[in-house]
Amino acid sequence: MATLRFHAVKESLKRKSLEINESKRRSEIFGQNVFNELAMRQFLSKNALTSILEAIEKGSKIDRLLADHISIGMKEWAISKGATHYTHWFQPLTGATAEKHDAFFETIRDGLAIEKFDGSQLVQQEPDASSFPHGGIRNTFEARGYTAWDPTSPAFVYGTTLCIPTVFVSYTGEALDYKTPLLRALHAVDKAAVAICKYFDKNVRKVSASLGWEQEYFLIDNALATSRPDIVLTGRTLLGHSPAKGQQLDDHYFGTIPNRVMAYMRDLENECMLLGIPVKTRHNEVAPNQFELAPIFEEANLAVDHNSLLMDVMQKVAKRHDFKVLLHEKPFAGVNGSGKHNNWSLSTDTGVNLLSPGKTPMSNLQFLTFFINTIKAVQTYEELLRGAIASASNDHRLGANEAPPAIISVFIGQQLTKVLEELETVTKGKLSPKEKTDLKLNVVGKIPEILLDNTDRNRTSPFAFTGNKFEFRAVGSKANCANPMTVLNSIVAKQLLDFKKEVDNLIDEKSMKKDDAIFNVLREYIKTSRSILFEGNGYSEDWEKQAKKRGLSNNKSTPAALKVRISKPVIELFEGLGVMNKVEVEARYEIEMEEYILHTQIESRVIGDIARNHVVPTAVRYQNILIENVTGLKTIYGDKFKAYAKEQLELIEQISKHIEAINSLVTKMTDERKTLNKNSDIGKKANGYCKKVKPLFEDIRYHCDKLELMIDDELWPLTKYRELLFTK
Ligand code: ADP
Ligand code: MG
């Protein structure tokens, strides 16, 4: 009997949902564990408060002396919240968050002790960073990296630790984390967008990018999840036959949330409230046991930190409820995978969302400027955008079961398509007064009312305009949003810079009026960006063919998708904007390729192990039972036994065939790995893992899943899909 599996099933059936205490209003507990303005006002001197607020708003430097003041206030606040330790909290390129805790506690002399935390400990630290991924930037003898405080993301108390959001850079100043390039990209888009805003409103001083992520996840009973070695080691199931019932009835989406899950969600939301993560929406997703959580959008850097923190909190809270959260993009074959839609927009310090149509023709022209420039940016850098969401795990999701395909395209809806078509017919050169009035009244001026009926319920376009924001849907559920956000904000920044140059050129050289110049440049952009616009629904073979004709990339695997990251135009893009230098770009490429190889290698080992050590022995055992049965029948019936043993004999034969296939495929896979591991060229190695190792997973799985259907359920050792997906 398959002990672990049945033990896990038994455990899972005993679960009760936890009682969650929600006596206080959410608005009351929101941000209670965050060193926010309210806390700062209580714990900081006026000078310290002013300097930190200025650092947040204008990015100004904080004086060393004031840093000492801030650290003391921060420490006292943290201790009042139960903290005993502090840590510089950062996001290395492993994808997880990192922290090393130090106690405030210090001895002074003769058995005396105090709590201490000074400015230098707040501002900078030097963790021994040699074992974080660095893509060859740091040699081991130069293993020092340092973390530096990012005052734009507030410190918070998590458990009993004061967490200080920081960047992580090498001793020579190269970024070793996700946050550093993101901050630089946000700075670049701020500068570039402000310059464009000045065409419309001289008062604009700052433009910030906003991000609202939607986090999808699977919630699986912990006992069931840990009974599967593949889930434990790779975060997904590597084999398992689909259950008789999957998601075909569409009865899960927006359905009633099961009690135990509801308790988990409420508990999680409470934690989020304390940490200042403004979560707002929760619901069932399409696949069984799949759910979604979304916050109110925030400034992009803060939103990225909050999502990273959330992914950690989700796992911790899940333990209390005997759940395991699967953030993998494709934990189960045959049912929907999980994504993390990144809703993105730009807004000014004067309170205008630049991607929201306004009330006047002038503000609508501003909207159209940012709208069309974003489309143009995506058109120019579609391949880079695809590269920004590439990972071994997301490869399984893209293009399958209602997920966006690997082809990047922009969906804008019928109404805006029409607006662009009309704008495209604008006269080249100076516009006649009549044309301009007509344009402003009937095209640009009409946008708000027509947008109201532009309801986009197409959920699978990789990049879609949804009323007042763009929604990048190809981002993977376990990805750090910083990567796609760095790329998106960088390409838009670059595009806006180019746009400004072209408009100014027309104004200066051709003495055009500002509006005429803007209309002229936009008209050209609409023409050159047409190939990226696609109003269809996600993936289809026809779209694949069409996209190819349009010259759009279709990089289905991570190694293919990452290549563009080290291409000349991309390096020039990042260097030109000051987002990353060549060394940083190349290091990231190496880290991501290496990660791809390691993930695929681990999966390959795990599937080999499960197939050989779990599936094959079970198959042999069942086959022996059959043989025993056949032998018995022969004893009873003599020569006539075949009439009674037909099915059994056939099964015995089929089982042998599957066992033989599994063994030879696993051997082949191991040999491929051995050869590839000798290859020191990272590109060739990653490609080899993609083309030679990974396809064997499917073949091995096929035979294992067939055996699952043949073998006595009592003997099958691996917790089945129906148990994983339908246990509530
Ligand atoms: P859905 O895409 O499921 O219809 P919503 O429209 O409610 O969901 O929004 C999803 C996410 O988009 C939320 O996190 C929300 O805060 C965010 N969002 C809404 N407006 C903006 C905006 N202007 N900029 C960035 N994110 C936004
Ligand atoms: Mg959405």
Side-chain angles (χ1 to χ4, degrees), residues 102-141:
D102 281 303
F104 292 125
F105 167 83
E106 241 169 61
T107 50
I108 37 176
R109 63 182 159 79
D110 304 336
L112 299 179
I114 54 165
E115 256 81 36
K116 194 163 168 285
F117 179 57
D118 63 29
S120 62
Q121 287 160 315
L122 165 66
V123 173
Q124 193 172 318
Q125 277 194 350
E126 280 184 39
D128 173 21
S130 50
S131 41
F132 289 109
H134 50 79
I137 287 181
R138 278 176 295 119
N139 300 320
T140 30
F141 57 84

Side-chain angles (χ1 to χ4, degrees), residues 240-499:
H241 203 279
S242 352
K245 174 183 186 262
Q247 62 185 45
Q248 63 273 61
L249 296 177
D250 274 337
D251 52 357
H252 191 67
Y253 192 53
F254 281 11
T256 324
I257 301 173
N259 286 344
R260 219 179 125 202
V261 174
M262 187 57 128
Y264 166 75
M265 287 177 168
R266 286 172 55 207
D267 202 0
L268 172 63
E269 285 164 8
N270 276 337
E271 291 285 342
C272 287
M273 285 296 114
L274 293 172
L275 291 165
I277 308 173
V279 291
K280 192 168 164 74
T281 314
R282 62 183 179 212
H283 60 80
N284 283 4
E285 260 303 329
V286 176
N289 280 351
Q290 191 190 25
F291 306 92
E292 182 185 299
L293 175 76
I296 298 167
F297 65 94
E298 301 176 281
E299 186 279 321
N301 174 41
L302 185 59
V304 167
D305 280 0
H306 277 164
N307 183 251
S308 296
L309 178 58
L310 173 91
M311 291 195 281
D312 195 66
V313 179
M314 284 176 94
Q315 296 293 6
K316 288 211 170 104
V317 174
K319 284 223 172 82
R320 296 206 276 268
H321 296 256
D322 293 306
F323 277 128
K324 188 168 173 63
V325 176
L326 303 187
L327 290 172
H328 194 285
E329 283 81 3
K330 195 74 181 176
F332 303 98
V335 296
N336 276 15
S338 300
K340 178 151 54 199
H341 294 178
N342 275 207
N343 295 272
W344 170 90
S345 65
L346 293 171
S347 59
T348 67
D349 58 345
T350 53
V352 176
N353 174 357
L354 295 167
L355 288 167
S356 180
K359 290 199 174 63
T360 62
M362 204 54 189
S363 56
N364 270 337
L365 186 55
Q366 176 170 278
F367 157 71
L368 281 173
T369 300
F370 282 93
F371 177 69
I372 294 169
N373 270 289
T374 305
I375 296 173
K376 171 88 171 145
V378 175
Q379 197 267 340
T380 314
Y381 292 103
E382 48 90 14
E383 198 168 5
L384 177 61
L385 215 46
R386 160 67 181 102
I389 48 111
S391 70
S393 49
N394 209 17
D395 281 357
H396 296 289
R397 164 179 170 256
L398 296 177
N401 293 87
E402 299 289 304
I407 307 162
I408 300 293
S409 64
V410 182
F411 178 95
I412 59 171
Q414 271 177 13
Q415 314 285 3
L416 281 165
T417 303
K418 240 171 103 196
V419 172
L420 294 197
E421 275 164 10
E422 291 193 47
L423 278 178
E424 209 182 323
T425 62
V426 168
T427 313
K428 201 165 182 170
K430 278 185 193 164
L431 276 64
S432 73
K434 185 183 169 302
E435 187 181 7
K436 222 148 89 181
T437 315
D438 193 52
L439 208 57
K440 284 191 176 169
L441 283 181
N442 296 324
V443 183
V444 182
K446 286 252 165 80
I447 296 170
E449 52 192 79
I450 54 175
L451 255 193
L452 292 178
D453 68 331
N454 174 30
T455 40
D456 147 60
R457 291 295 94 183
N458 157 12
R459 323 295 281 156
T460 56
S461 303
F463 203 84
F465 185 72
T466 48
N468 61 358
K469 61 190 193 279
F470 278 100
E471 189 168 337
F472 190 17
R473 293 168 173 155
V475 183
S477 48
K478 77 177 164 123
N480 185 315
C481 303
N483 199 0
M485 279 296 115
T486 300
V487 169
L488 179 57
N489 287 293
S490 296
I491 64 177
V492 171
K494 168 79 169 81
Q495 178 52 49
L496 292 173
L497 290 174
D498 290 350
F499 176 74

Side-chain angles (χ1 to χ4, degrees), residues 497-715:
L497 290 174
D498 290 350
F499 176 74
K500 173 116 185 18
K501 243 187 251 157
E502 289 182 60
V503 170
D504 287 351
N505 205 30
L506 290 182
I507 295 173
D508 297 342
E509 310 274 305
K510 302 256 156 77
S511 26
M512 269 193 202
K513 283 239 174 64
K514 185 184 70 190
D515 288 8
D516 292 10
I518 291 175
F519 273 124
N520 267 280
V521 179
L522 291 183
R523 183 198 55 231
E524 290 312 302
Y525 284 180
I526 295 171
K527 282 196 181 132
T528 49
S529 308
R530 214 186 282 133
S531 65
I532 198 77
L533 296 176
F534 177 56
E535 294 297 298
N537 225 328
Y539 174 82
S540 74
E541 263 174 44
D542 184 51
W543 169 229
E544 255 194 332
K545 277 188 209 136
Q546 223 193 96
K548 195 171 175 193
K549 273 197 208 133
R550 294 188 187 194
L552 299 177
S553 69
N554 185 8
N555 295 319
K556 289 191 176 168
S557 74
T558 294
L562 287 180
K563 231 190 269 156
V564 68
R565 310 254 326 225
I566 45 164
S567 67
K568 210 167 151 242
V570 167
I571 292 174
E572 277 169 10
L573 165 82
F574 287 127
E575 284 203 317
L577 294 168
V579 171
M580 280 187 269
N581 62 28
K582 189 162 183 271
V583 176
E584 290 170 313
V585 171
E586 284 173 350
R588 251 147 241 261
Y589 167 79
E590 251 182 55
I591 289 167
E592 287 181 28
M593 287 293 256
E594 188 68 41
E595 205 177 271
Y596 178 85
I597 295 167
L598 290 175
H599 274 283
T600 315
Q601 193 176 60
I602 291 169
E603 290 199 338
S604 165
R605 289 198 186 121
V606 174
I607 197 171
D609 168 59
I610 298 179
R612 268 216 174 119
N613 303 321
H614 298 236
V615 174
V616 168
T618 309
V620 170
R621 207 172 317 146
Y622 184 54
Q623 200 182 39
N624 282 340
I625 294 175
L626 292 171
I627 292 170
E628 205 179 303
N629 175 269
V630 172
T631 323
L633 289 171
K634 202 169 175 184
T635 329
I636 301 175
Y637 296 107
D639 284 351
K640 275 188 274 172
F641 84 101
K642 274 196 181 156
Y644 305 101
K646 204 167 139 252
E647 292 285 329
Q648 292 89 318
L649 285 168
E650 200 159 297
L651 267 177
I652 290 169
E653 217 171 283
Q654 279 186 33
I655 289 173
S656 284
K657 279 188 190 146
H658 289 302
I659 290 176
E660 200 281 317
I662 289 172
N663 278 331
S664 67
L665 285 166
V666 172
T667 305
K668 187 171 166 205
M669 182 171 73
T670 316
D671 290 344
E672 294 286 7
R673 272 201 331 252
K674 276 189 190 142
T675 318
L676 285 168
N677 291 347
K678 286 187 204 122
N679 202 326
S680 57
D681 181 317
I682 198 157
K684 287 197 179 122
K685 196 165 160 184
N687 263 320
Y689 265 94
C690 176
K691 299 223 167 81
K692 295 195 170 135
V693 177
K694 202 181 129 205
L696 293 171
F697 295 1
E698 281 314 300
D699 300 341
I700 295 169
R701 177 180 192 140
Y702 170 82
H703 293 285
C704 293
D705 289 358
K706 283 279 178 227
L707 285 171
E708 182 183 329
L709 289 184
M710 288 174 194
I711 289 169
D712 180 1
D713 184 58
E714 284 276 308
L715 293 178

Side-chain angles (χ1 to χ4, degrees), residues 11-298:
E11 280 295 300
S12 75
L13 294 175
K14 283 194 267 178
R15 309 284 192 213
K16 298 226 162 32
S17 62
L18 295 186
E19 284 294 324
I20 304 301
N21 172 18
E22 258 185 301
S23 53
K24 285 200 180 143
R25 283 177 189 230
R26 294 205 164 176
S27 59
E28 228 176 299
I29 58 167
F30 183 72
Q32 225 171 57
N33 292 350
V34 181
F35 196 54
N36 53 21
E37 200 178 322
L38 197 68
M40 285 193 242
R41 281 187 190 280
Q42 268 184 49
F43 284 85
L44 296 186
S45 67
K46 198 156 175 251
N47 281 349
L49 177 72
T50 316
S51 99
I52 200 170
L53 291 181
E54 266 183 15
I56 295 170
E57 260 163 50
K58 298 184 197 139
S60 55
K61 273 224 155 73
I62 292 175
D63 177 84
R64 231 349 275 280
L65 207 67
L66 285 174
D68 274 335
H69 285 277
I70 296 168
S71 68
I72 291 168
M74 203 186 265
K75 177 196 71 183
E76 286 309 314
W77 168 81
I79 290 172
S80 80
K81 294 284 168 196
T84 53
H85 287 65
Y86 67 91
T87 183
H88 274 197
W89 182 83
F90 58 102
Q91 297 163 53
L93 298 165
T94 49
T97 53
E99 45 198 276
K100 169 180 157 266
H101 299 180
D102 281 303
F104 292 125
F105 167 83
E106 241 169 61
T107 50
I108 37 176
R109 63 182 159 79
D110 304 336
L112 299 179
I114 54 165
E115 256 81 36
K116 194 163 168 285
F117 179 57
D118 63 29
S120 62
Q121 287 160 315
L122 165 66
V123 173
Q124 193 172 318
Q125 277 194 350
E126 280 184 39
D128 173 21
S130 50
S131 41
F132 289 109
H134 50 79
I137 287 181
R138 278 176 295 119
N139 300 320
T140 30
F141 57 84
E142 226 201 331
R144 285 182 303 175
Y146 64 91
T147 50
W149 180 31
D150 165 23
T152 61
S153 180
F156 54 92
V157 169
Y158 185 30
T160 52
T161 307
L162 166 67
C163 299
I164 300 149
T166 54
V167 295
F168 179 40
V169 291
S170 77
Y171 215 72
T172 39
E174 278 99 7
L176 294 171
D177 67 347
Y178 281 112
K179 192 193 260 279
T180 309
L182 174 67
L183 288 173
R184 295 177 187 152
L186 292 171
H187 180 72
V189 83
D190 171 16
K191 287 278 149 309
V194 166
I196 303 297
C197 287
K198 299 258 188 221
Y199 286 141
F200 306 95
D201 178 1
K202 292 264 180 283
N203 297 318
V204 173
R205 303 234 130 63
K206 189 175 165 69
V207 169
S208 326
S210 305
L211 164 65
W213 38 261
E214 301 164 60
Q215 181 71 58
E216 291 182 336
Y217 61 99
F218 279 84
L219 211 48
I220 306 296
D221 184 273
N222 195 35
L224 298 174
T226 42
S227 73
R228 295 269 316 212
D230 44 1
I231 294 183
V232 172
L233 295 171
T234 71
R236 72 169 177 127
T237 55
L238 294 168
L239 39 93
H241 203 279
S242 352
K245 174 183 186 262
Q247 62 185 45
Q248 63 273 61
L249 296 177
D250 274 337
D251 52 357
H252 191 67
Y253 192 53
F254 281 11
T256 324
I257 301 173
N259 286 344
R260 219 179 125 202
V261 174
M262 187 57 128
Y264 166 75
M265 287 177 168
R266 286 172 55 207
D267 202 0
L268 172 63
E269 285 164 8
N270 276 337
E271 291 285 342
C272 287
M273 285 296 114
L274 293 172
L275 291 165
I277 308 173
V279 291
K280 192 168 164 74
T281 314
R282 62 183 179 212
H283 60 80
N284 283 4
E285 260 303 329
V286 176
N289 280 351
Q290 191 190 25
F291 306 92
E292 182 185 299
L293 175 76
I296 298 167
F297 65 94
E298 301 176 281

